[in-house]
């Protein structure tokens, strides 16, 4: 019968219409500004810089190695290295970014900076309501705007952040153990040197053995 | 008129140019670049005799982003996120094709589990691409919204899966040379299984809604016919080619990845018209569901990255490679030449959308303008890939 297919199709839409009153599955849209879908854990949009502790600038993990700047496909990261150093999370003095800008209007949220960063210093945020009336300045974020605490990272990507923290703690423990072993070795050497003053040991070996493990 | 039988004309409309009488005035219309039916910025310069199309000249390039040259200046890794933006409906298959080319170039092995993940994501991509392309086709036919929204409702679920896995709904940037970027999150496979289980219901629904519809049949059957010989000569691939009855599916022909392990059929058309293309897409979605069932069942545990492959400082030996896959729209290939440095010496994309579009004029000659919109929609293109 002509029109049968059309009627069948209309039946299908009628089914959906009626079911939308009873079944949540059929009612798929949400009223955005009032209602919000939960943010999926792995979501990414723009990068931020992680800092530990309270002070934003002192706690920045970034050591301005500029790897991300080099690997970023659209080249939207701009870094200026500092001339002085500050201690990093294991207490080793490191240079830090005197300037760290990301042009969010150019960034394509590809996550490559996160992948290549060897210091777990840059991660992806999930904040998406970023519109601004200032097209140029408003979308050029400096290090102050980019810095987010580790707690924030834990809040948005709990699984990933826990893994990162475990890795960093392990590294820290390793480097502490290394430092301790080095100190012990140095002490032993010094003791040996003190016990056997005869062969006139050169003073050089001790500092070398201290330096080696930390390098 | 130089043609002998009118019966012949009904089946296969001849080139219309010789029906025009000397002195006939043609109306030249530029459809696009901002025409709602052109899926983006694309222009068709159409010459009309009344409603009939006499000439059609496609004009490309409005969305040109210099993808290939940029990739030649960037590292191998840096080109990966740009491939997402080729056919932005199917970023995961684009990733795969590029990764495959680089893997061939550098001789990198892909671990089992990563191969399965690739198949799962690629088939999900195919389903959401076909669903939305059917939706858009109906939109162009005047079925404003309903079929498209039904398709998008299903696509939404698949995109949520992608987001959970890769972090992004459309710009996934997920595959790497020698595997995949991140492991599946816990519970992802179970979720994928639930969604895949729901897909046949969706396909049944869309078929009940559309397949028997008289308007759809009247407007698509016998329209925009493409002959198999022309399709082969023009290099048309994908559902467009299979709708003409040519049995050519790279998953069967090339056995790239691990497709030889799965049992699935390749649906073929008979007439090469719009309706066949629609039907092929429906059937391919069904076949993809069977592949997904097998892949989700069989996926082994193990690493997802070749431990030898490097993310940074990747320098393949000098040589060339062509990696191709059966993307939802056709054969997507990447041709790479390496000179041993950190960036490809030559990088070239074989985009199915562009090549499938080259026969647009042949399909449209003699048809009405309103049908041009439909024929164009049935090709299933994305301008990001046409113009690159
Ligand atoms: S997400 Fe990609 S584009 Fe954005 S800053 Fe990082 S590397 Fe650059
Ligand atoms: S964010 Fe990471 S990769 Fe970038 S400069 Fe800082 S430490 Fe280096």
């Amino acid at each position: 019968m002509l029109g049968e297919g059309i009627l069948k199709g209309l039946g299908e839409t009628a089914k959906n219409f009626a079911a939308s009153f009873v079944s949540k599955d059929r009612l798929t849209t949400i009223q955005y500004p009032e209602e919000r879908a939960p943010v999926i854990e792995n979501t990414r949009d723009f990068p931020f810089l992680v800092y530990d502790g309270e002070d934003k600038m002192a706690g920045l993990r970034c050591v301005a190695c500029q790897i991300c700047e080099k690997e970023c496909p659209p080249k939207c990261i701009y870094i200026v290295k500092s001339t002085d150093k500050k201690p990093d999370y294991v207490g080793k003095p490191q240079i830090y970014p005197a300037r760290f800008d990301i042009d969010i209007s150019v960034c394509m949220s590809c996550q490559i900076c996160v992948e290549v960063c060897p210091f777990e210093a840059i991660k992806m945020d999930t904040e998406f309501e970023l519109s601004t009336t200032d097209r140029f300045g408003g979308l050029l974020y400096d290090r102050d705007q980019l810095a987010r605490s580790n707690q924030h990272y834990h809040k948005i990507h709990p699984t990933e952040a826990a893994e990162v923290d475990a890795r960093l703690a392990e590294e820290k423990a390793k480097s502490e153990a290394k430092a301790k072993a080095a100190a012990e070795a140095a002490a032993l050497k010094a003791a040996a040197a003190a016990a056997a003053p005869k062969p006139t040991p050169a003073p050089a070996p001790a500092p070398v053995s201290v330096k080696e493990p930390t390098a | 008129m130089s043609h002998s039988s009118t019966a012949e004309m009904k089946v296969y409309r001849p080139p219309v140019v010789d029906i025009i009488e000397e002195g006939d005035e043609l109306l030249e219309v530029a459809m696009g670049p901002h025409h709602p039916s052109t899926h983006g910025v694309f222009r068709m310069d159409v010459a009309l005799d009344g409603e009939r199309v006499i000439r059609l000249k496609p004009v490309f390039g409005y969305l040109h982003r210099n993808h290939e040259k940029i990739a030649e200046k960037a590292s191998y890794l840096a080109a990966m996120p740009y491939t997402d933006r080729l056919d932005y409906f199917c970023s995961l298959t684009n990733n795969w094709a590029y990764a495959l080319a680089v893997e061939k170039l550098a001789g990198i092995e892909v671990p089992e589990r990563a191969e399965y993940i690739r198949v799962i994501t690629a088939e999900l991509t195919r389903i959401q691409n076909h669903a939305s392309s059917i939706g858009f086709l109906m939109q162009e036919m005047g079925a404003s919204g309903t079929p498209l929204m039904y398709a998008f409702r299903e696509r939404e679920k698949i995109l949520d899966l992608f987001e959970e896995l890769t972090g992004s709904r459309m710009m996934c940037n997920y595959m790497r040379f020698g595997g995949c970027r991140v492991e599946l999150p816990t519970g992802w496979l179970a979720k994928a299984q639930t969604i895949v289980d729901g897909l046949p219901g969706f396909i049944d629904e869309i078929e009940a809604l559309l397949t028997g519809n008289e308007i759809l049949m009247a407007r698509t059957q016998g329209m925009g016919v493409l002959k198999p010989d022309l399709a082969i000569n023009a290099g048309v691939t994908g559902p467009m080619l299979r709708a003409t009855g040519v049995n050519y599916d790279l998953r069967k022909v090339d056995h790239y990845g691990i497709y030889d392990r799965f049992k699935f059929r390749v649906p073929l058309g008979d007439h090469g018209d719009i309706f066949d293309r629609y039907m092929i897409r429906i059937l391919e979605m069904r076949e993809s569901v069977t592949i997904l069932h097998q892949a989700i069942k069989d996926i082994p545990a193990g690493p997802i990255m070749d431990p030898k492959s490097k993310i940074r400082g990747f320098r393949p030996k000098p040589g060339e490679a062509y990696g191709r896959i059966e993307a939802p729209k056709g054969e997507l290939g990447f041709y790479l030449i390496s000179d041993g440095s950190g960036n490809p010496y030559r990088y070239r994309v074989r985009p199915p959308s562009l090549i499938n579009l080259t026969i647009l004029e042949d399909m449209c000659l003699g048809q009405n303008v309103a049908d041009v919109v439909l024929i164009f929609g049935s090709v299933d293109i994305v301008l990001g890939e046409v113009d690159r």
Side-chain angles (χ1 to χ4, degrees):
Chain A
M1 182 189 80
L2 190 70
E4 204 181 319
I6 297 176
L7 287 179
K8 202 168 148 202
L10 284 176
E12 206 58 45
T13 47
K15 229 179 357 192
N16 265 290
F17 173 67
S20 70
F21 287 99
V22 285
S23 156
K24 220 58 211 94
D25 284 352
R26 300 274 180 180
L27 201 62
T28 38
T29 47
I30 55 165
Q31 305 298 324
Y32 160 61
E34 293 86 29
E35 272 180 81
R36 272 147 202 272
V39 177
I40 292 176
E41 189 183 327
N42 275 346
T43 304
R44 61 178 143 95
D45 46 30
F46 295 111
F48 67 91
L49 295 172
V50 190
Y51 68 86
D52 298 301
E54 293 305 312
D55 184 6
K56 263 190 189 180
M57 286 308 123
L60 274 191
R61 285 182 190 167
C62 174
V63 300
C65 66
Q66 294 184 312
I67 291 175
C68 55
E69 186 184 26
K70 185 164 163 280
E71 295 289 332
C72 170
K75 301 273 181 281
C76 63
I77 305 181
Y78 175 69
I79 300 173
V80 177
K81 291 186 178 196
S82 67
T83 44
D84 56 336
K85 296 189 173 185
K86 72 169 180 63
D88 68 355
Y89 64 101
V90 292
K92 209 164 58 171
Q94 292 274 22
I95 42 175
Y96 60 91
R99 259 189 94 165
F100 195 115
D101 296 346
I102 295 183
D103 192 342
I104 297 294
S105 65
V106 175
C107 172
M108 57 178 184
S109 312
C110 65
Q111 206 177 25
I112 281 184
C113 47
V114 177
E115 255 175 284
V116 296
C117 175
F119 300 94
E120 314 281 2
I122 190 166
K123 296 289 166 199
M124 299 306 273
D125 210 338
T126 54
E127 174 63 45
F128 55 89
E129 286 158 326
L130 298 163
S131 52
T132 157
T133 47
D134 179 5
R135 205 173 130 191
F136 302 104
L139 292 170
L140 182 65
Y141 285 11
D142 61 14
R143 61 180 185 158
D144 206 50
Q145 287 162 291
L146 288 170
R148 297 265 188 291
S149 65
N150 196 21
Q151 284 81 352
H152 174 76
Y153 182 34
H154 270 275
K155 207 174 94 208
I156 55 175
H157 302 304
T159 327
E160 198 188 297
E163 276 166 25
V164 167
D165 270 8
R167 201 152 52 225
L168 287 182
E170 195 184 315
E171 255 170 50
K172 190 170 177 177
K174 232 190 245 165
S175 81
E176 265 168 8
K178 237 183 197 175
K180 211 167 133 203
E184 269 168 15
L188 267 182
K189 269 253 169 78
K198 292 268 165 59
T200 56
V208 167
S209 67
V210 173
K211 225 189 237 163
E212 225 170 22
T214 42
Chain B
M1 236 186 273
S2 58
H3 288 274
S4 45
S5 83
T6 40
E8 187 192 313
M9 271 184 64
K10 247 184 210 151
V11 192
Y12 186 33
R13 301 186 195 193
V16 216
V17 186
D18 48 345
I19 338 179
I20 320 165
E21 310 263 305
E22 197 64 37
D24 268 3
E25 280 212 12
L26 295 184
L27 179 66
E28 298 208 0
V29 182
M31 289 177 75
H34 296 289
H35 193 274
S37 80
T38 55
H39 296 235
V41 274
F42 170 73
R43 196 171 97 219
M44 293 179 264
D45 283 342
V46 197
L48 301 175
D49 174 22
E51 285 274 316
R52 279 273 198 90
V53 176
I54 305 295
R55 250 194 336 263
L56 186 146
K57 192 170 135 253
V59 184
F60 314 108
Y62 290 96
L63 206 59
H64 182 62
R65 307 176 305 289
N66 214 359
H67 170 66
E68 287 160 348
K69 258 327 180 224
I70 287 175
E72 282 167 19
K73 294 277 167 276
S75 67
Y76 281 89
L77 172 66
M80 186 60 91
Y82 287 119
T83 62
D84 291 339
R85 285 139 177 96
L86 286 173
D87 173 357
Y88 40 77
F89 264 80
C90 316
S91 66
L92 283 158
T93 46
N94 299 346
N95 284 180
W96 192 359
Y98 178 52
L100 195 72
V102 176
E103 279 151 11
K104 269 192 184 168
L105 188 66
I108 304 173
E109 292 285 318
V110 183
E112 282 278 287
R113 186 175 173 83
E115 290 279 23
Y116 273 91
I117 297 178
R118 284 180 177 189
V119 168
I120 293 171
T121 51
E123 293 309 319
L124 285 171
T125 303
R126 193 181 317 279
I127 290 172
Q128 58 95 4
N129 175 75
H130 285 353
S132 24
S133 90
I134 288 170
F136 281 123
L137 181 65
M138 296 308 138
Q139 180 94 348
E140 269 144 17
M141 208 173 288
S144 302
T146 311
L148 183 62
M149 286 305 126
Y150 280 30
F152 269 30
R153 187 187 64 207
E154 222 55 30
R155 176 169 179 258
E156 190 64 26
K157 296 179 189 160
I158 295 176
L159 291 192
D160 278 348
L161 270 186
F162 289 169
E163 183 170 8
E164 201 177 328
L165 174 61
T166 70
S168 186
R169 294 153 54 81
M170 292 170 79
M171 304 296 130
C172 297
N173 184 19
Y174 179 61
M175 292 180 197
R176 289 289 176 268
F177 319 132
C180 301
R181 180 158 54 80
V182 285
E183 178 55 80
L184 301 178
T186 30
W188 191 86
L189 273 181
K191 260 184 221 167
Q193 183 71 61
T194 335
I195 287 170
V196 171
D197 288 342
L199 282 171
F202 157 71
I203 303 170
D204 290 342
E205 182 184 29
I206 208 122
E207 278 221 79
L209 187 64
L210 300 172
T211 303
N213 188 302
E214 286 79 4
I215 303 172
L216 179 120
M217 290 202 280
R219 290 211 58 191
T220 56
Q221 288 182 341
M223 283 293 165
V225 174
L226 178 64
K227 294 270 159 195
D229 43 358
L230 176 63
I232 292 171
N233 286 342
V236 171
T237 44
M240 281 281 286
L241 178 65
R242 290 191 287 274
T244 67
V246 180
N247 188 354
Y248 184 75
D249 184 324
L250 285 178
R251 291 175 293 176
K252 290 279 188 199
V253 176
D254 244 25
H255 297 300
Y256 64 92
I258 47 164
Y259 271 111
D260 44 359
R261 294 189 197 171
F262 301 114
K263 268 182 71 185
F264 64 99
R265 293 170 301 172
V266 178
L268 295 178
D270 215 3
H271 309 92
D273 57 1
I274 304 178
F275 188 79
D276 274 13
R277 279 169 222 146
Y278 157 80
M279 222 42 229
I280 291 280
R281 293 202 171 102
I282 294 269
L283 294 172
E284 277 192 9
M285 284 200 276
R286 293 196 190 276
E287 291 308 313
S288 287
V289 171
T290 64
I291 297 179
L292 278 167
H293 277 304
Q294 297 169 49
I296 293 176
K297 192 166 99 307
D298 294 346
I299 184 166
I304 52 159
M305 267 300 265
D306 181 0
K308 287 202 295 296
S309 69
K310 288 197 289 183
I311 293 285
R312 289 184 53 226
F314 176 75
R315 286 167 196 279
K317 284 196 293 295
E320 57 178 334
Y322 179 62
R324 56 177 190 173
I325 66 163
E326 182 70 35
K329 294 183 168 65
E331 172 184 338
L332 173 65
F334 282 82
Y335 175 63
L336 299 167
I337 301 183
S338 161
D339 56 359
S341 66
N343 45 322
Y345 173 75
R346 183 81 178 92
Y347 173 106
R348 156 94 186 140
V349 187
R350 184 227 186 263
S353 290
L354 171 67
I355 292 169
N356 289 358
L357 204 53
T358 50
I359 33 82
L360 186 63
E361 181 173 20
D362 302 85
M363 291 191 292
C364 290
L365 285 184
Q367 311 276 17
N368 289 345
V369 210
D371 293 332
V372 168
V373 172
L374 273 191
I375 296 167
F376 179 72
S378 73
V379 181
D380 184 19
I381 59 145
V382 156
L383 261 298
E385 190 177 68
V386 173
D387 296 339
R388 299 189 303 295

